[in-house]
Amino acid sequence: AEINIPFTVGGGINELADVERLLCAGADKVSINSAALRRPQLIDEIAGRYGSQVCVCAIDARQDERGEWICYVQGGRRPTDRHLLEWACEVESRGAGEILFTSMNHDGTKQGFACEALRMLSDRLTIPVIASGGAGRMEDFRDAFLSGHADAALAASVFHFGEISIGGLQQYLRSEGINTR
């Protein structure tokens, strides 16, 4: 009732009834992660019932000592046997409309996004990829778009604590030739 931007809700979504409740409460999209890894058919069900635009699949991944990106569940606390690119391709083929990729190696560091992994995903997939994990400076956002080929970038603490203003970031990105809304 208070905002007029697309509103995505995630957390605790395990079945279609959860999606129905959230959409009826005003959400525009839902974001699933652990539930999708436990039961990938949930992606098919959401996309089939409500359309791909409603289904955002969040992927938390960490690069291991061999350089492989492994997917995690439970808020990035428990590793799975799934690899990032393989899982992202499956997520897309099942009908997800977007991927929210969080690098657990970068999350909270304020040292920049995982641009190489972002580029790998963005260049391989046809659905939008949202960067998450690592924003600390305005330049990090620029790099996510220009180097990482991300379609969008997410941050929390830098905005919550006033380290970067949204208006200031938009102005900076425009000066770097990056369109913003």
Side-chain angles (χ1 to χ4, degrees), residues 9-83:
V9 178
I13 300 167
N14 294 299
E15 57 187 43
L16 275 180
D18 299 326
V19 176
E20 176 86 21
R21 269 192 305 281
L22 291 168
L23 294 176
C24 289
D28 297 290
K29 302 176 184 188
V30 296
S31 177
I32 57 174
N33 184 351
S34 297
L37 279 158
R38 279 193 305 272
R39 196 171 72 79
Q41 299 81 0
L42 181 59
I43 300 167
D44 305 79
E45 293 168 5
I46 295 169
R49 176 93 179 258
Y50 303 106
S52 291
Q53 77 284 353
V54 168
C55 186
V56 177
C57 194
I59 301 176
D60 295 340
R62 183 180 307 277
Q63 192 173 31
D64 67 14
E65 61 281 347
R66 297 178 314 242
E68 294 182 36
W69 284 93
I70 305 300
C71 296
Y72 277 66
V73 293
Q74 296 177 340
R77 292 185 303 275
R78 201 180 96 222
T80 69
D81 62 350
R82 303 301 300 260
H83 289 91

Side-chain angles (χ1 to χ4, degrees), residues 59-146:
I59 301 176
D60 295 340
R62 183 180 307 277
Q63 192 173 31
D64 67 14
E65 61 281 347
R66 297 178 314 242
E68 294 182 36
W69 284 93
I70 305 300
C71 296
Y72 277 66
V73 293
Q74 296 177 340
R77 292 185 303 275
R78 201 180 96 222
T80 69
D81 62 350
R82 303 301 300 260
H83 289 91
L84 173 61
L85 184 59
E86 165 210 347
W87 176 235
C89 289
E90 181 176 341
V91 161
E92 178 180 50
S93 72
R94 288 182 173 277
E98 298 175 39
I99 288 178
L100 169 59
F101 164 58
T102 301
S103 165
M104 302 311 295
N105 301 80
H106 295 76
D107 197 35
T109 66
K110 296 186 181 181
Q111 297 297 310
F113 295 99
C115 289
E116 287 182 27
L118 278 168
R119 186 174 46 255
M120 172 188 67
L121 291 171
S122 296
D123 290 352
R124 178 73 181 268
L125 304 171
T126 61
I127 59 175
V129 176
I130 305 163
S132 174
R137 305 170 307 130
M138 290 189 194
E139 293 82 2
D140 297 333
F141 290 90
R142 177 201 61 206
D143 295 346
F145 295 119
L146 297 181

